[in-house]
C-alpha cells in the first residue's frame, strides 16, 4: 500500500513535469523541420510513457485490491483462529483442573494402597507363622480294639490291657505290645475307653496316668447278662507321660470281631 502511494506520487510528479515541458516547448522554440520532428518524437514518447504508467498504475491498483481482499480473508481467518484458540485454552484449563482432581484422588488411593499392603504383608506373615506352627505341631491320634479272642479274665491280679487291634495310630504314640500310650509332646490330650461283658454281672477297669489311677469304670447289673460302661477324660500330659487301662483282678471283659472294647486318644493341642 505504501509502495503504491509513493509510486502514485512519483507518477503525478512526472506527469506534471511532462505537461510543463510540453507547454514550454510550444512557446520557446522557433519553427523548423528539425524542431517539428523533435517535438513530434517527444510527444509520441510521452504518450507511450503515459500509457505504460497507466498500465502500471492499473496493475498496482489491482494488486492493492487483491491485497485488501487477502487481508480481509486473513482477518476473518484470524477471528476464527482466535475463537478456536480461546476455546482450546478453556479446554486446557478444564483438563488441568480435572488432572489436579485426579491427582488428589490418586494420592489418596496410593496412601490407602500402602495401608492395605502393610496389612496384607502382616497377614501374610501371620499365615506363614501359623503354617510353621501347624507343620511343627505333632499329629497324635490312636484307636485300638482289645482282642478278637472273646473272653479276657478274670485274673487274680490287676493287668494292663493290651489293645491289639490297631485301627489308627498316627504318630505311633500307642504301643499295641504293651498297651501303653506315651505322650510325644507336652500338651492336652483326650482319652476314651469302655468295658463290656456278657458272661458276668459285673466288670471294672481303671485309667492310669503314670502311676496314678485317674478314673475307675465299673458296672454291675444285679444279675446275670450284659454290662457295658464307658467314659472319657481330658488330661494335661508332660512329654513322656504314659496313659493305660488296667483290668482289675476278678473282673472279666469280653471282646471279639464286633470290637466291643476300644481305647482311643488324641492330642488336642501341644503346650
Ligand atoms: C457273649 O457275646 C458273644 C458275641 O455276641 C457270643 O458269641 C457269646 O455267646 C456270648 N456269651 C454269653 C455267655 O452270652
Amino acid at each position: 500500500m505504501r509502495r503504491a502511494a509513493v509510486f502514485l506520487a512519483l507518477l503525478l510528479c512526472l506527469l506534471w513535469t511532462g505537461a510543463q515541458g510540453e507547454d514550454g516547448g510550444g512557446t520557446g522554440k522557433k519553427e523548423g523541420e528539425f524542431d517539428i520532428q523533435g517535438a513530434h518524437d517527444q510527444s509520441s514518447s510521452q504518450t507511450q510513457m503515459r500509457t505504460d504508467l497507466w498500465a502500471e498504475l492499473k496493475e498496482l491498483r489491482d494488486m492493492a485490491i487483491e491485497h485488501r481482499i487477502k487481508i480481509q480473508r486473513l482477518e476473518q481467518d484470524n477471528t476464527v483462529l482466535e475463537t478456536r484458540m480461546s476455546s482450546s485454552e478453556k479446554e486446557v484449563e478444564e483438563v488441568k483442573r480435572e488432572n489436579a482432581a485426579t491427582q488428589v484422588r490418586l494420592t489418596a488411593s496410593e496412601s490407602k494402597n500402602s495401608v492395605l499392603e502393610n496389612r496384607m504383608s502382616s497377614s501374610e506373615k501371620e499365615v506363614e507363622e501359623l503354617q510353621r506352627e501347624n507343620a511343627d505341631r505333632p499329629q497324635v491320634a490312636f484307636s485300638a480294639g482289645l482282642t478278637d479272642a472273646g473272653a479276657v479274665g478274670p485274673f487274680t491280679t490287676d493287668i494292663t490291657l493290651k489293645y491289639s487291634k490297631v485301627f489308627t495310630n498316627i504318630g505311633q504314640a500307642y504301643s499295641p505290645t504293651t498297651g501303653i500310650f506315651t505322650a510325644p509332646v507336652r500338651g492336652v490330650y483326650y482319652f476314651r475307653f469302655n468295658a463290656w461283658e456278657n458272661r458276668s454281672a459285673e466288670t471294672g477297669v481303671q485309667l492310669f496316668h503314670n502311676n496314678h489311677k485317674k478314673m475307675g469304670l465299673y458296672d454291675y447289673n444285679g444279675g446275670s447278662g450284659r454290662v457295658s460302661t464307658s467314659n472319657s477324660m481330658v488330661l494335661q500330659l508332660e512329654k513322656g507321660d504314659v496313659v493305660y487301662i488296667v483290668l482289675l483282678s476278678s473282673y472279666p471283659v469280653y471282646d471279639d470281631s464286633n470290637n466291643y472294647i476300644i481305647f482311643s486318644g488324641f492330642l488336642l493341642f501341644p503346650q
Side-chain angles (χ1 to χ4, degrees):
M1 284 298 271
R2 216 176 65 192
R3 223 182 69 196
V6 168
F7 193 83
L8 198 65
L10 197 67
L11 186 70
L12 287 171
C13 195
L14 272 173
L15 283 173
W16 184 75
T17 323
Q20 282 292 100
E22 219 172 328
D23 291 350
T27 52
K29 280 192 178 131
K30 287 169 196 170
E31 293 280 299
E33 199 180 338
F34 177 74
D35 282 336
I36 291 164
Q37 185 61 40
H40 178 76
D41 282 356
Q42 197 178 359
S43 162
S44 119
S45 103
Q46 274 178 357
T47 312
Q48 181 59 41
M49 195 173 159
R50 239 178 259 174
T51 313
D52 288 351
L53 284 170
W54 277 118
E56 206 155 340
L57 186 62
K58 190 173 173 298
E59 203 174 312
L60 282 169
R61 200 196 57 193
D62 290 350
M63 267 171 71
I65 290 168
E66 207 175 301
H67 280 161
R68 211 169 51 220
I69 290 168
K70 269 188 194 166
I71 285 168
Q72 272 172 359
R73 266 193 217 137
L74 282 172
E75 278 171 352
Q76 274 166 8
D77 284 358
N78 263 5
T79 313
V80 169
L81 282 175
E82 262 171 31
T83 311
R84 282 172 60 188
M85 179 70 102
S86 98
S87 96
S88 285
E89 280 170 351
K90 267 182 206 155
E91 272 174 38
V92 166
E93 281 302 311
E94 206 161 309
V95 169
K96 272 188 195 167
R97 266 199 303 277
E98 277 173 21
N99 263 5
T102 306
Q103 186 60 44
V104 169
R105 285 172 59 191
L106 190 62
T107 311
S109 285
E110 278 171 352
S111 76
K112 209 172 176 184
N113 256 12
S114 94
V115 167
L116 285 175
E117 264 173 28
N118 281 349
R119 282 174 61 188
M120 179 72 104
S121 95
S122 92
S123 288
E124 280 173 348
K125 269 182 205 151
E126 272 175 40
V127 167
E128 274 171 25
E129 209 161 306
L130 286 172
Q131 277 173 341
R132 258 202 309 280
E133 272 177 28
N134 256 4
D136 292 347
R137 175 176 296 194
Q139 295 188 324
V140 185
F142 78 96
S143 197
L146 187 59
T147 179
D148 279 343
V152 178
F155 302 106
T156 54
T157 59
D158 299 350
I159 61 143
T160 298
L161 287 175
K162 295 171 185 168
Y163 296 79
S164 59
K165 300 182 286 185
V166 172
F167 305 127
T168 309
N169 197 7
I170 310 293
Q172 306 296 317
Y174 171 73
S175 165
T177 55
T178 61
I180 293 171
F181 171 85
T182 307
V185 290
R186 183 174 192 267
V188 177
Y189 294 78
Y190 174 90
F191 296 98
R192 180 172 174 82
F193 64 108
N194 73 323
W196 192 85
E197 170 56 44
N198 67 349
R199 296 163 298 156
S200 164
E202 56 186 329
T203 188
V205 294
Q206 292 177 333
L207 179 139
F208 275 77
H209 172 200
N210 294 336
N211 293 324
H212 310 293
K213 185 189 89 176
K214 281 287 180 182
M215 187 177 162
L217 194 59
Y218 303 95
D219 195 22
Y220 172 71
N221 69 5
S224 64
R226 296 182 181 108
V227 282
S228 178
T229 179
S230 68
N231 214 335
S232 60
M233 265 193 121
V234 171
L235 291 174
Q236 198 168 8
L237 305 181
E238 294 299 325
K239 181 180 178 179
D241 279 4
V242 293
V243 174
Y244 51 95
I245 309 296
V246 167
L247 176 65
L248 296 172
S249 67
S250 79
Y251 290 118
V253 284
Y254 184 95
D255 191 25
D256 57 24
S257 58
N258 288 310
N259 304 320
Y260 293 116
I261 297 176
I262 290 176
F263 179 32
S264 302
F266 53 83
L267 174 65
L268 273 175
F269 49 85
Q271 284 184 309

